[in-house]
Amino acid sequence: MDVMPQQDPESRRPPEPSPQEPQDPQDPQDPRAPRDATPGADPYVMPAEGATAVPPPPPTLRTTLRRAAFGALAAGVLLAGALVAVPDGKDDRAKEPGPVERAEAAATAGSPASLSDLTALIGDRQKWVEAHPGDAPSWATLGSAYVEWGRRSADAAYFGRAEEALKRSLAARPGERGNGEAWVGMAALANARHDFLAAKRWGETVRKQEPKTWRVYPVLIDAYTGLGDVKAATAATEKFGELRKGVPALARTADLYRGQGWREDALATAREAADRATTPAEKAEALHRLGELAWERGEAEEAVAQFDAALRTDAGHHASLAGKARALVALDRTDEAVAAYQSVITELPRPAYALELGELYASLELDGDAKSQYEELGELLEQAKAAGVDESLIRARYESDHGDPAVAVELLRGQWRKQHRSAAVADALGWALHRAGKSEEGVEYARQAVETGVRNASYAYHLGVIERELARYGPARRHLEEALRTNPAFSPLEAPKAREALETLGEPPPGGPGDMQPPPPPPPPAPEPKREAEPKPEPKREPKQEPKPEPKRESPEPEAPAPAPSQSAPAPSKAAPSSPAAVAADASKSP
């Protein structure tokens, strides 16, 4: 079972080699050179012992010729057999890689290594650099392994060891002289400490020097994502996919789609990555990603199934246990969720998990447990700060809802000045400003987080609450509905508040939300056509008032046919008995 080692990997160093030991004949810069070779000796020949130490007498000429002929025949048979058995020139019976080789392969491929393999790699490199302090590549490998271990174990103390190892590597061989691996390690260390601007600088330096190396792109993707530079992160992900095919590229592409809200594309790519994963650590990471996607869609049961599959594949994948705890809360299995959270915090004490457990206690009205958990969160944050890790985002989230919102605003403004402008920072800053009584300013940041496209129910909830505070009831109702539609149980504290806020707003008016109706100025022109229509009938009545009958009295005979073509004549009854032709005939008979 892959679990965190009970003792520090560095404490298991072997004793230093004694001065009587022969020196290594291989290049000290080769990290895979044999550790126990003797100069000038054939490593495949056993040393002479006992009777075998006496040299045999030289063979006769006849014996020599017979042996040569037999050897030639045997060599031909063996060569033919080899060509038939291995037509492509490869040996199918290749040696199975050990834990050190597996960890190195995972690191160089951009895939996660199991904790046991990572421990073996750390121990191997520690032993090697003790005997070969000038081996720059081995120092770089050790430093990168420390970064990965600190990230996977949530032990920030390893970041200090990583920095020391990477500096030793750069001292032995500067980055300008081809030690790009150490520069990549420094970028990974900066990302682990949430110093994304420094990570970007290290990564772009490597890319400028080695534009076709794929190993720099994973750290660049993390740096750009932390800075909120979606365009640069997209370009880096595409380039990584061009240079390095396989599961690592698929995983990065799925994360990119997820961050842009392309659920179907993210799900399809993540499933492909899971299907093609080979090592347990790689498989567990892919299954964990599927669990996160299911959770964000509000499919708690599916999320639990995926997280369980990840844990069965790699029992040391503690992040999946935290994801499972989150999904169990949504299924109202709170006792199991509390137990899972307590277990994962023991193995993987990340501040984010401590905050989630504290809020779960608060939702269950376990105020004492919640207070104790928040105190533990404070201790974890102090430890991270002492190790150089910037956890301002988690601290600000706590202060906004459970502490001093003004402190949260100050912390997040500092993040914004450092160009940390991801969707997560924008959402947290908008919410902190709202909680501090600055909703007009906060709504802009909250809207920016939602407009990135990421499907995060908490972001939509925060924006909806701020809009309701500003009396923008139409958008508020829409975003609160979006939050609950995305994930009805996105938070044990916020989800019930979202439902309550939506019920308070009620149903929209029959004509639609108020903000979607025409603004106040346009209504006055509506009655104007009525005023114009009133005088229009007057001209129609004017012909009726004309004294047309008077000419009829003066000359009744010629005016008789006039009413026929005019339907508005006041006395059509006189022309009704006769048609116009009859009237004309009568007129011709008159003298």
Side-chain angles (χ1 to χ4, degrees):
M1 180 174 62
D2 295 331
V3 296
M4 184 181 300
Q6 299 299 321
Q7 57 181 354
D8 189 314
E10 198 169 29
S11 65
R12 300 187 289 108
R13 296 180 180 176
E16 296 184 2
S18 61
Q20 291 77 14
E21 281 189 53
Q23 295 299 320
D24 196 332
Q26 301 291 332
D27 183 354
Q29 299 298 327
D30 183 4
R32 297 188 179 182
R35 314 294 196 261
D36 55 356
T38 304
D42 187 347
Y44 300 101
V45 177
M46 297 296 293
E49 294 181 7
T52 59
V54 180
T60 63
L61 178 60
R62 182 179 180 182
T63 302
T64 301
L65 293 175
R66 290 175 60 186
R67 289 178 178 177
F70 179 77
L73 179 61
V77 174
L78 291 174
L79 179 60
L83 292 175
V84 173
V86 190
D88 57 355
K90 296 182 180 180
D91 186 3
D92 291 338
R93 298 173 298 176
K95 180 182 177 182
E96 183 178 355
V100 175
E101 290 78 8
R102 289 196 301 266
E104 288 180 334
T108 55
S111 298
S114 67
L115 294 178
S116 58
D117 291 350
L118 194 58
T119 301
L121 176 62
I122 290 175
D124 180 78
R125 293 299 89 185
Q126 285 174 347
K127 177 181 177 180
W128 178 253
V129 297
E130 285 180 353
H132 307 83
D135 188 350
S138 288
W139 278 114
T141 300
L142 180 59
S144 298
Y146 278 145
V147 173
E148 182 68 7
W149 180 268
R151 189 184 67 82
R152 294 279 300 277
S153 64
D155 188 349
Y158 276 87
F159 297 151
R161 303 178 190 180
E163 184 175 5
E164 181 182 355
L166 293 168
K167 287 182 176 179
R168 291 285 298 271
S169 177
L170 292 171
R173 182 189 299 173
E176 297 84 353
R177 292 172 53 191
N179 194 4
E181 184 178 353
W183 277 351
V184 172
M186 293 296 286
L189 175 61
N191 279 327
R193 286 173 164 171
H194 301 158
D195 189 355
F196 303 114
L197 193 59
K200 172 187 173 181
R201 291 169 180 166
W202 283 112
E204 290 182 344
T205 302
V206 177
R207 184 176 62 182
K208 183 178 180 180
Q209 181 172 317
E210 305 175 21
K212 294 185 178 180
T213 181
W214 58 265
R215 60 186 175 182
V216 69
Y217 286 97
V219 293
L220 278 176
I221 294 169
D222 291 339
Y224 292 141
T225 302
L227 295 172
D229 192 342
V230 178
K231 182 178 180 180
T234 302
T237 303
E238 293 174 350
K239 188 64 176 179
F240 180 59
E242 294 174 5
L243 297 174
R244 188 69 175 179
K245 307 294 184 180
V247 177
L250 289 170
R252 291 288 180 174
T253 303
D255 290 340
L256 174 68
Y257 292 157
R258 175 186 176 188
Q260 296 181 352
W262 301 345
R263 283 183 171 179
E264 293 76 11
D265 298 302
L267 180 59
T269 309
R271 283 176 175 169
E272 184 178 357
D275 292 340
R276 296 176 60 180
T278 55
T279 66
E282 194 175 58
K283 187 80 169 181
E285 188 71 17
L287 292 169
H288 174 81
R289 184 175 293 102
L290 289 174
E292 290 289 343
L293 289 171
W295 160 251
E296 290 176 358
R297 296 193 306 270
E299 300 175 2
E301 292 184 0
E302 173 68 14
V304 169
Q306 296 292 353
F307 290 133
D308 279 338
L311 290 169
R312 287 194 300 269
T313 304
D314 182 359
H317 202 274
H318 303 302
S320 291
L321 184 58
K324 178 181 178 180
R326 199 178 300 119
L328 288 172
V329 175
L331 296 173
D332 291 330
R333 296 161 60 179
T334 53
D335 292 341
E336 298 176 61
V338 169
Y341 268 125
Q342 292 174 342
S343 178
V344 74
I345 290 176
T346 301
E347 300 293 342
L348 192 63
R350 289 178 177 169
Y353 300 157
L355 178 59
E356 289 179 18
L357 178 55
E359 291 182 342
L360 175 58
Y361 283 141
S363 69
L364 298 175
E365 299 182 354
L366 301 174
D367 298 335
D369 292 330
K371 182 180 179 181
S372 299
Q373 192 60 45
Y374 293 148
E375 291 175 355
E376 183 176 349
L377 168 64
E379 295 175 0
L380 293 175
L381 292 173
E382 290 300 322
Q383 294 173 8
K385 183 178 180 180
V389 180
D390 186 358
E391 291 286 6
S392 297
L393 180 58
I394 299 299
R395 183 184 292 274
R397 286 175 176 170
Y398 166 76
E399 295 290 349
S400 294
D401 290 323
H402 315 291
D404 187 351
V407 173
V409 171
E410 183 179 357
L411 289 169
L412 293 167
R413 286 195 190 278
Q415 292 290 298
W416 203 260
R417 286 192 296 268
K418 292 166 62 176
Q419 299 183 30
H420 294 187
R421 300 177 181 181
S422 64
V425 174
D427 166 73
L429 179 54
W431 184 245
L433 287 166
H434 162 70
R435 297 282 293 174
K438 301 178 180 180
S439 299
E440 285 285 356
E441 184 181 1
V443 71
E444 299 301 327
Y445 292 100
R447 183 181 296 112
Q448 180 174 333
V450 171
E451 289 178 352
T452 59
V454 61
R455 303 291 187 90
N456 190 304
S458 183
Y459 297 175
Y461 164 73
H462 289 159
L463 179 56
V465 171
I466 297 173
E467 289 170 333
R468 186 186 66 163
E469 178 70 17
L470 297 174
R472 303 176 185 179
Y473 301 124
R477 184 182 292 105
R478 183 170 64 253
H479 287 117
L480 290 172
E481 290 176 347
E482 178 184 348
L484 294 173
R485 183 171 58 252
T486 300
N487 187 351
F490 64 93
S491 167
L493 281 180
E494 293 183 338
K497 294 179 180 178
R499 285 188 288 271
E500 181 181 355
L502 193 59
E503 291 175 359
T504 302
L505 288 173
E507 295 295 330
D515 63 324
M516 297 184 68
Q517 293 179 351
E528 291 180 1
K530 296 180 180 179
R531 297 191 188 101
E532 294 177 358
E534 292 175 357
K536 286 182 180 179
E538 295 178 359
K540 296 180 180 179
R541 290 194 296 270
E542 288 177 0
K544 298 180 182 180
Q545 297 176 0
E546 292 179 359
K548 290 183 179 179
E550 295 177 1
K552 293 179 182 178
R553 297 189 190 98
E554 295 176 0
S555 55
E557 293 179 357
E559 294 294 333
S566 176
Q567 297 179 1
S568 59
S573 57
K574 295 181 180 180
S578 302
S579 65
V583 174
D586 294 339
S588 61
K589 295 178 182 180
S590 61

